[in-house]
C-alpha cells in the first residue's frame, strides 16, 4: 500500500508495510541518531507517564502527557525527546519531530521498519527513522462517523483515538464508535462489527456490542482485540469478517478502559487493575499479577496499586506504568518485569 503525503516542500511515500520511505528529506545535523533507533533531542525526565511502546531493538518509549512529548529511555537510564517541543498544539509536519508541536497523544506503535506512529489529537502522525514527522491520517476534527472510502487525511476522528499495526504493517484505528482500516488506496474502511450472543455468569445472556471501543491490538491474522464499556469493562475479539466475540471483563467496573497490547505468542493482552490477562481460547486468562501488598505496616510508597499502560519488548519483558500508593496517586512509576525480576525505571511523586 502506498499513500503520498505532502510534508512541507517534500513528498514522502507512506506504505502499510514499510512506514515512511525516506526521499529528499534530511534531518538537521544537530540531531544525531541515538541507540534507540530514532534521532533524539534534549535530555528530559518525564513529568507524567502516558502510553508506552517498545521498538524492535527493545528501547522503551513513553508519552509525557504533561509536556506533550514522546521520550525514549536510553541504556543509561536517562530519557531523551524523540517528538514534541514541549508546547501543546499542531505544527511541524515535514521537519524534525523534536521541533513539532504535539497535543493529547493517546497511543504509540511501531511499524515493521521502525517508524513511530502517534495518535495525536485526532490525527495519526509518523516519525520516520530520520526523525521527520508527517501526518498520514486525520484532520484533527472533533470526530463523527467515518464512511467507507473517506480519504485518510480528510477523516474527522476525534481526540479519543487508538491505533495498532498488524505485524505486516497494516494500520488499524479505533474511535469510541468505530474500528477502521487504512486501505491500500489511502482510504479508511470501517469494520462492520457483528455481535455474537454470549452467556456468562456476570452479565447473563446478551449480544456483544457493535459500537463501543477503546484501546486496540491486532495480531498477524488480522484479528482485532478491543477494550469496551459494553457488558462491563470488557475485551472483545473481532475477526477479519467482523464477527465479535466477548472474551471477558478487564478492569472489573469503573475507571479507564483497559489498555490492550500484542505480546508474546502473537497473542493479545489486556490490563486488569493490578494484573495483565491474555486472550486465549475465547476468554481472558491470568498472565501476570503484580506484587500487591496490604496491611498496617506496609509502606504505601512501595505498593503496586493501579496498572494504567503497559507494553512488551521483543524479548518478552513487560513494562508497566503504575499509579501507586493507597491514596490513588501518591506516585507514578514505570516498572520492568523480566525473568521474574522487577526494576523501577522512573518514579515521580504526584501527591502528598
Amino acid at each position: 500500500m502506498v499513500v503520498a503525503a505532502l510534508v512541507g516542500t517534500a513528498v514522502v511515500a507512506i506504505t502499510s508495510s514499510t512506514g515512511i520511505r525516506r526521499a529528499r528529506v534530511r534531518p538537521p545535523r544537530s540531531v544525531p541518531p541515538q541507540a534507540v533507533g530514532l534521532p533524539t533531542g534534549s535530555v528530559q525526565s518525564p513529568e507524567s507517564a502516558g502510553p508506552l511502546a517498545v521498538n524492535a531493538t527493545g528501547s522503551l518509549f513513553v508519552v509525557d502527557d504533561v509536556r506533550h512529548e514522546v521520550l525514549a529511555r536510553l541504556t543509561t537510564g536517562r530519557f531523551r525527546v524523540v517528538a514534541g517541543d514541549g508546547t501543546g498544539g499542531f505544527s511541524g509536519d515535514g521537519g524534525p519531530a523534536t521541533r513539532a508541536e504535539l497535543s493529547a497523544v493517546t497511543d504509540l506503535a511501531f511499524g515493521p521498519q521502525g517508524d513511530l506512529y502517534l495518535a495525536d489529537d485526532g490525527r495519526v502522525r509518523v516519525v520516520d527513522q530520520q526523525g521527520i514527522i508527517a501526518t498520514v491520517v486525520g484532520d484533527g476534527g472533533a470526530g463523527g462517523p467515518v464512511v467507507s472510502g473517506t480519504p485518510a487525511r480528510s477523516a474527522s476522528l476525534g481526540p479519543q483515538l487508538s491505533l495498532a499495526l498488524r505485524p505486516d504493517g497494516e494500520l488499524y484505528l479505533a474511535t469510541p464508535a468505530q474500528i477502521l482500516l487504512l486501505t491500500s488506496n489511502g482510504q479508511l474502511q470501517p469494520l462492520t462489527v457483528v455481535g455474537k450472543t454470549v452467556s456468562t455468569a456476570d452479565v447473563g445472556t446478551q449480544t456483544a456490542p457493535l459500537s463501543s471501543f477503546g484501546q486496540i491490538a491486532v495480531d498477524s491474522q488480522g484479528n482485532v482485540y478491543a477494550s469496551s464499556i459494553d457488558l462491563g469493562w470488557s475485551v472483545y475479539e473481532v475477526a477479519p469478517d467482523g464477527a465479535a466475540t466477548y472474551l471477558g471483563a478487564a478492569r472489573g467496573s469503573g475507571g479507564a478502559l483497559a489498555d490492550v497490547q500484542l505480546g508474546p505468542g502473537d497473542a493479545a493482552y489486556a490490563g486488569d487493575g493490578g494484573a495483565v490477562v491474555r486472550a486465549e481460547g475465547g476468554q481472558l486468562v491470568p498472565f501476570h499479577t503484580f506484587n500487591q501488598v496490604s496491611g498496617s505496616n506496609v509502606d504505601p510508597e512501595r505498593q503496586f496499586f493501579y496498572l494504567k499502560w503497559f507494553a512488551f519488548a521483543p524479548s518478552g519483558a513487560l513494562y508497566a506504568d503504575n499509579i501507586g500508593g493507597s491514596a490513588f496517586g501518591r506516585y507514578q512509576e514505570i516498572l520492568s518485569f523480566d525473568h521474574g525480576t522487577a526494576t523501577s525505571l522512573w518514579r515521580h511523586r504526584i501527591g502528598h
Side-chain angles (χ1 to χ4, degrees), residues 45-49 66 299-303 322-334 344 346-352:
S45 182
E47 291 188 28
S48 177
V66 170
D299 178 4
E301 291 293 312
R302 305 312 309 167
Q303 180 182 5
N322 169 40
I323 297 176
S326 59
F328 194 77
R330 284 178 177 269
Y331 64 88
Q332 194 177 21
E333 187 172 27
I334 298 175
S344 179
W346 168 84
R347 186 179 174 89
H348 178 66
R349 292 186 64 88
I350 56 176
H352 297 292

Side-chain angles (χ1 to χ4, degrees), residues 2-73:
V2 178
V3 180
L6 182 65
V7 289
T9 58
V11 174
V12 178
I14 311 294
T15 76
S16 67
S17 60
T18 61
I20 295 182
R21 186 180 301 143
R22 272 65 62 193
R24 303 198 305 277
V25 178
R26 296 291 184 270
R29 293 182 180 179
S30 60
V31 185
Q34 301 289 333
V36 298
L38 293 174
T40 62
S42 61
V43 172
Q44 177 69 55
S45 182
E47 291 188 28
S48 177
L52 306 174
V54 184
N55 67 4
T57 67
S59 295
L60 175 67
F61 292 71
V62 56
V63 174
D64 185 335
D65 47 22
V66 170
R67 291 183 53 85
H68 308 288
E69 294 174 334
V70 179
L71 310 177
R73 186 177 185 273

Side-chain angles (χ1 to χ4, degrees), residues 2 4 17 19 21 44 57 68 75 108 132 141 153 158 164 172 177 219 237 251 258:
V2 178
S17 60
R21 186 180 301 143
Q44 177 69 55
T57 67
H68 308 288
T75 55
L108 298 177
I132 304 301
R153 286 295 304 274
Y172 290 75
D219 66 18
E237 178 182 350
R251 283 276 162 82

Side-chain angles (χ1 to χ4, degrees), residues 159-181:
Q160 301 300 317
L161 186 63
S162 175
L163 61 83
L165 285 109
R166 188 170 165 172
D168 65 4
E170 200 167 43
L171 177 64
Y172 290 75
L173 309 172
T175 71
Q178 291 179 294
I179 297 176
L180 307 163
L181 169 66

